[in-house]
Amino acid sequence: MKRIAILGSTGSIGTQALEVVREQPEHFQVELLTCGNRVDALIEQALEFKPNAVVIGDAAQLPRVKDALFAHGIKAYAGAEALEQAVAMEDIDIVLTALVGFAGLRPTLAAIEAGKSIALANKETLVVAGDLVTKAARAKGVNIYPVDSEHSAIFQCLAGEWSNPIEKIVLTASGGPFRGKSRDELAGITKVQALKHPNWEMGAKITIDSATLMNKGLEAIEAKWLFNLRADQIEIVVHPQSIIHSMVQFRDGSMKAQMGLPDMKLPIQYALAYPERLPTTWPRFDFTRYPALTFEQPDTVTFRNLALALAALDQGGNAPCVLNAANEVAVELFLKDAIGFLEMSDLVEHCLQRIEHITNPSLDDLFASDAEARRLARERVPA
Ligand code: NAD
Ligand code: MG
């Protein structure tokens, strides 16, 4: 029985994690649920899964949550500090970080400090502070299990290969809903169009990142830290069917791929149950329904976000942190119809060009770079 904390339990990954728990009650016990402001959904989840405690982001709603859960013996807290304390609770074995953006950094570090295993969905944490986070994990002897489907695929390919060096990895990308479109066509894309992903149903932020290919750039940086790779060992290939979730090539030239229907429940369950594979009744992949699996080069000229992210990966230091912060603001502004689809890359580039490069940033440096990038981005596009 593993006792788990789910940070961001009301989101896309969070609710799918709870489906996994619901299907495997003899393997998982929920100890902590947290959310930003979807408090009604959180209360409902708490009444079903009976965690020890819940934490919400919005303190104004705390009295209502306490009222709903007190009689059931479930404690309720609010705020970022409460979240950092809650992940350290004694009865938690593994923390699933399924909250979105830079907000995941502090609670992830707090969980590592407390010696908890991490099931990492919140890729922004590794993008921003991969060096510090992986060093902290090594120092504490904490394992970080990837939840992102591509990284789970690589992790699954590496089982039994721990002493064999990786020659390269190939991250697959669906190409998003606008694959093949020209920059002229992209200029007029609306948020309604961008929020429709062909293969995956996800939260709004990652859905937009998938449409701009920023998501694949963030994943390249995430992979660098998870698997200790150089930038030149990370290749990206567009594979529109999303059946091969990613690949590893070893030094004898052999390439392993992990395949299956696109369903995040599998990588979530693999991360939580590792090293065991638990039985499921989910739909199986059928070759006759996919007579062709196809591959093409990503178009980094049209999808400039991917080029910017790969440049930040090369540059290292605080560049990925600046890229991430500018992108979080850009996505938020695009979702408010304040900027167009292509202007998201303009905003990211604007911030990357202006913020001073720091080669070995401390945690304080990263918080400062994050704040500075957000300020610059908002200054350029006044609300
Ligand atoms: P989502 O928007 O659906 O859910 C986010 C969750 O985090 C919600 O529960 C929300 O209440 C909570 N939250 C948001 N801001 C918060 C804050 N400041 N403090 C505390 N809680 C906060 O997002 P998602 O699609 O589930 O993605 C979560 C993470 O997983 C992201 O980092 C994303 O890149 C990654 N990821 C998602 C998918 C997917 O299929 N959805 C796949 C791979 C990786
Ligand atoms: Mg992914």
Side-chain angles (χ1 to χ4, degrees):
M1 180 71 90
K2 283 193 185 160
R3 300 165 301 173
I4 63 181
I6 303 179
L7 312 191
S9 64
T10 59
S12 161
I13 293 289
T15 52
Q16 293 180 85
L18 287 173
E19 279 178 48
V20 167
V21 172
R22 200 180 277 125
E23 290 174 28
Q24 310 279 1
E26 67 285 12
H27 292 281
F28 306 119
Q29 155 74 32
V30 175
E31 291 294 333
L32 174 70
L33 294 174
T34 87
C35 77
N37 49 27
R38 293 192 50 211
V39 159
D40 289 314
L42 186 82
I43 291 172
E44 205 175 297
Q45 292 177 342
L47 293 175
E48 178 182 351
F49 291 94
K50 303 281 187 307
N52 196 338
V54 302
V55 181
I56 61 169
D58 178 9
Q61 304 203 61
L62 186 58
R64 197 154 62 79
V65 179
K66 282 190 164 166
D67 275 353
L69 301 180
F70 179 76
H72 302 269
I74 301 168
K75 300 182 260 317
Y77 308 96
E81 263 177 47
L83 182 56
E84 283 173 54
Q85 285 166 13
V87 294
M89 284 186 334
E90 203 180 317
D91 47 12
I92 295 170
D93 300 313
I94 183 162
V95 176
L96 170 63
T97 65
L99 69 182
V100 60
F102 184 81
L105 176 54
R106 277 201 197 276
T108 305
L109 282 172
I112 291 171
E113 278 310 312
K116 311 299 185 191
S117 297
I118 305 291
L120 186 127
N122 176 242
K123 65 190 84 186
E124 294 91 344
T125 281
L126 282 188
V127 170
V128 169
D131 189 26
L132 298 178
V133 169
T134 52
K135 273 186 187 142
R138 270 196 300 276
K140 283 280 169 188
V142 157
N143 288 328
I144 300 179
Y145 301 105
V147 170
D148 215 345
S149 58
E150 295 76 4
H151 306 74
S152 175
I154 292 162
F155 186 55
Q156 293 180 55
C157 291
L158 290 175
E161 305 276 7
W162 308 124
S163 55
N164 286 324
I166 297 173
E167 188 166 87
K168 71 170 185 186
I169 64 164
V170 182
L171 290 176
T172 52
S174 71
F178 309 131
R179 184 173 57 92
K181 287 218 186 308
S182 67
R183 285 186 67 80
D184 281 350
E185 290 170 304
L186 289 181
I189 289 295
T190 65
K191 71 176 179 204
V192 176
Q193 292 168 300
L195 283 170
K196 286 202 190 95
H197 193 278
N199 302 345
W200 301 93
E201 264 200 45
M202 311 176 286
K205 199 258 175 182
I206 184 175
T207 305
I208 300 302
D209 285 345
S210 300
T212 63
L213 296 200
M214 178 57 91
N215 184 52
K216 211 48 56 179
L218 300 179
E219 290 184 351
I221 302 171
E222 179 186 14
K224 169 193 163 79
W225 295 113
L226 280 172
F227 305 112
N228 194 20
L229 301 170
R230 297 183 313 271
D232 65 286
Q233 290 175 292
I234 303 169
E235 190 174 310
I236 294 169
V237 68
V238 173
H239 165 49
Q241 298 81 20
S242 296
I243 294 298
I244 294 185
H245 298 309
S246 278
M247 302 173 252
V248 180
Q249 183 170 298
F250 297 94
R251 60 181 169 182
D252 59 356
S254 174
M255 189 174 256
K256 279 185 168 179
Q258 187 265 335
M259 302 170 62
L261 292 174
D263 181 347
M264 286 307 296
K265 292 208 297 295
L266 182 84
I268 292 168
Q269 177 172 294
Y270 190 76
L272 293 177
Y274 182 85
E276 211 181 329
R277 287 188 185 274
L278 304 178
T280 74
T281 56
W282 305 331
R284 268 39 176 170
F285 172 68
D286 173 359
F287 274 101
T288 60
R289 294 194 48 221
Y290 290 85
L293 298 180
T294 61
F295 305 92
E296 58 196 66
Q297 287 301 314
D299 176 355
T300 53
V301 177
T302 306
F303 294 92
R304 214 150 50 84
N305 267 359
L306 179 55
L308 290 168
L310 295 177
L313 164 65
D314 271 334
Q315 217 188 348
N318 64 339
C321 171
V322 170
L323 171 100
N324 176 70
N327 181 58
E328 286 191 28
V329 175
V331 170
E332 182 194 316
L333 292 171
F334 175 72
L335 287 172
K336 286 182 180 157
D337 299 314
I339 58 174
F341 191 83
L342 295 176
E343 285 168 284
M344 287 191 273
S345 305
D346 298 341
L347 205 57
V348 171
E349 187 167 34
H350 175 79
C351 295
L352 280 168
Q353 282 170 350
R354 277 162 190 78
I355 292 177
E356 195 191 337
H357 185 71
I358 306 172
T359 311
N360 279 310
S362 65
L363 192 59
D364 285 346
D365 291 333
L366 292 173
F367 272 86
S369 295
D370 175 84
E372 177 65 1
R374 284 170 202 270
R375 193 190 60 73
L376 261 180
R378 290 192 199 286
E379 182 184 86
R380 179 162 159 133
V381 185

